Amino acid sequence: MKSNILAAALLLAPAAHAEQVGEVGVDWVGNDIIIEAIADPKVEGITCHIAYFDRSLIDRLSQGAWFEDPSNASIACRQTGPIRVGDIDMSEDGEQVFRESRSIILKSLRIKRIFDEANQTLIYLVHAQELTEGSAKMSISTVPLYGATLATD
């Protein structure tokens, strides 16, 4: 029952939308680095940029693993306007801000937001989540909340 409620909450949670803002070709077979901008749906005034590797069809056919991209990703989050913090999860586990599939069913790229109350800072973590094995590839970015409006204010 608890897992059904959690699944429903995840489906109803506001989903962040990624907008591609850059693409850099890295080799002759068509592999690219994609850069996307993602506005935090619950924290107005913060935008995260993620960069990740996008495998070409030629690379997929020659290297195998046809249906997935590597887990590598990098993130940078910055204040892009007045910060207004909405009703966010302030627990140590944080909450998912963004999810994007990196294979047909087994792997996804995720961004989690964690609130560091002692330092009045939001931490954004990008990582891959896999069904069968975890990945140690991750990147973090922090945004201090100097003078920000919190939902409790």
Side-chain angles (χ1 to χ4, degrees), residues 91-109:
S91 72
E92 194 172 279
D93 292 336
E95 70 184 298
Q96 182 173 286
V97 174
F98 176 77
R99 179 184 183 274
E100 181 175 75
S101 179
R102 304 303 288 150
S103 73
I104 289 184
I105 56 171
L106 300 177
K107 187 190 297 186
S108 61
L109 180 69

Side-chain angles (χ1 to χ4, degrees), residues 76-138:
C77 301
R78 299 293 183 266
Q79 179 176 356
T80 54
I83 296 176
R84 181 172 292 123
V85 180
D87 185 21
I88 64 170
D89 182 338
M90 295 194 176
S91 72
E92 194 172 279
D93 292 336
E95 70 184 298
Q96 182 173 286
V97 174
F98 176 77
R99 179 184 183 274
E100 181 175 75
S101 179
R102 304 303 288 150
S103 73
I104 289 184
I105 56 171
L106 300 177
K107 187 190 297 186
S108 61
L109 180 69
R110 297 173 185 238
I111 298 175
K112 269 197 127 170
R113 175 194 339 96
I114 298 168
F115 179 58
D116 175 358
E117 186 174 8
N119 295 297
Q120 289 296 295
T121 299
L122 293 175
I123 302 166
Y124 291 86
L125 169 71
V126 65
H127 67 97
Q129 183 161 354
E130 299 181 38
L131 185 62
T132 55
E133 28 180 288
S135 173
K137 298 172 184 173
M138 70 197 93

Side-chain angles (χ1 to χ4, degrees), residues 56-76:
S56 69
L57 179 61
I58 294 171
D59 191 46
R60 289 172 193 278
L61 294 174
S62 67
Q63 300 294 324
W66 298 359
F67 301 111
E68 68 179 51
D69 282 323
S71 300
N72 305 25
S74 180
I75 190 168

